[in-house]
Amino acid sequence: MRRLLPLIALLPLLTAGPAIAQPRVKLGIDVLVTKRLSLIAGKRVGLITNMSAIDGRGQSDIDVLAHTPGVHLTALFAPEHGLRENLDVENIPDTRDPVTGVPVYSLYNKERAPTPEQMRDFDVLLFDIQDAGSRYYTFTTTLGLCLEAAAKAHKPFIVLDRPDPITGHAEGDTLDPKFALFTGKYPMTSRHGMTIGEVARYINGIEHLHADLTVVPMEGWRRDMWYDQTGLPWRKPSPAMLSPVTALYYAGIGMFEATNVDCRSAPGHPFEWVGAKWMNGKHVAPALTALHLPGVRFWPEEESDMSGVGLHITNRDVFQPVHTAVSMMETIHRLYPDQFKASRLGIGNMTGSDLLWETLNGQASVSQLWATYHKDLKTYDSQRAPYLLYR
């Protein structure tokens, strides 16, 4: 019996579990509730959000605000993929939140922004969704369209800021307006390098919307921070955005969605593989390896009935997702000129311009493409500078 006593004495320590560390970064939602509640206290609040919007403890924004004294949550707006779920459907209907009973209006149906009628349901409009850091991720378009609607209705618009999960580094070509689609509408580079609050400030300024915009900034975030350095929990904002690492792959490999090369079929690892039935990964992988692209390695890999190439980021600080994806497309097209197909509008929307299309079709050289991208990035960096909130 005596031999059991030390173990019994340790039981409280063994069962208590590890202490939960406080996040290094304080999110906009936490700053709002603890320091800036006067922005919404006593007002009717509309909230544009989804399941990714959680506070530093992992609680849904919806539930946090619904239980905050003095806050009257009167309308919820769901973007692509829905509110509390992760739907992969074309149209999301209006409904009612089963937890709070608040009406839920879809922004991924015939309406893409709150209507004038819906605007009557609230006094101030909040936006809180975790972005992935890519222009062609539809939440930045939803943000811009809602900001435009709020400006027209003379309603205050508040963004609760969140990290850019792949740092504040920008890369790629700025979107030419002739390629604007819902998958990318505003003149940002493919990897835009801004937090969602900075994106709102940039769109409001560059589009001359004159919206009554307030960004509740984070505390403790820096531009060189990767998401895993923030200490914050991650909840995927869309079905395939499994982690912040996925977001880094997606910032380049997601461009293949404008082609007939698959980039989603690797189970549990979307955007970490590309392939097609007509491709031979054993031919493509060595050709890509010969390019000596920084921070990434390639190998042949089969998925289902397709052959292709797997890729692995070896150094995220030097890896360039846009440069990598464009180089991969150019290489695959060179090896399979008759089989590789791409949508001109889709490629233009994903990359920002006609440059890659012209390069693939022999109307421009690869060196011209990179020179133009480099020059355009310098212009973009100077354009976004006045709207940045963090160093």
Side-chain angles (χ1 to χ4, degrees), residues 175-190:
L175 182 68
D176 185 324
K178 71 180 181 181
F179 294 113
L181 297 169
F182 184 67
T183 48
K185 183 178 188 296
Y186 300 100
M188 301 182 288
T189 51
S190 304

Side-chain angles (χ1 to χ4, degrees), residues 329-343:
M329 283 191 196
E330 193 277 330
T331 300
I332 294 169
H333 176 265
R334 176 164 41 83
L335 294 174
Y336 300 95
D338 296 327
Q339 291 90 349
F340 180 87
K341 306 294 181 185
S343 158

Side-chain angles (χ1 to χ4, degrees), residues 174 187 202 206 376-387:
T174 303
Y202 177 80
I206 209 87
D376 186 71
L377 184 58
K378 280 189 171 182
T379 302
Y380 172 73
D381 278 339
S382 64
Q383 287 177 337
R384 70 175 177 144
Y387 307 106

Side-chain angles (χ1 to χ4, degrees), residues 48 107 112-114 119 125-127 139-159 186 196-215:
I48 306 159
L107 299 180
R112 297 295 169 99
M119 287 280 187
L125 188 56
L126 268 62
F127 184 101
F139 298 144
T140 56
T141 300
T142 295
L143 168 64
L145 294 174
C146 291
L147 192 59
E148 291 178 26
K152 290 176 183 176
H154 305 289
K155 296 275 184 171
F157 193 96
I158 300 173
V159 177
Y186 300 100
I196 199 69
E198 291 173 335
V199 170
R201 285 164 53 86
Y202 177 80
I203 292 174
N204 194 39
I206 209 87
E207 298 291 314
H208 308 289
L209 301 182
H210 306 292
D212 181 3
L213 171 65
T214 300
V215 175

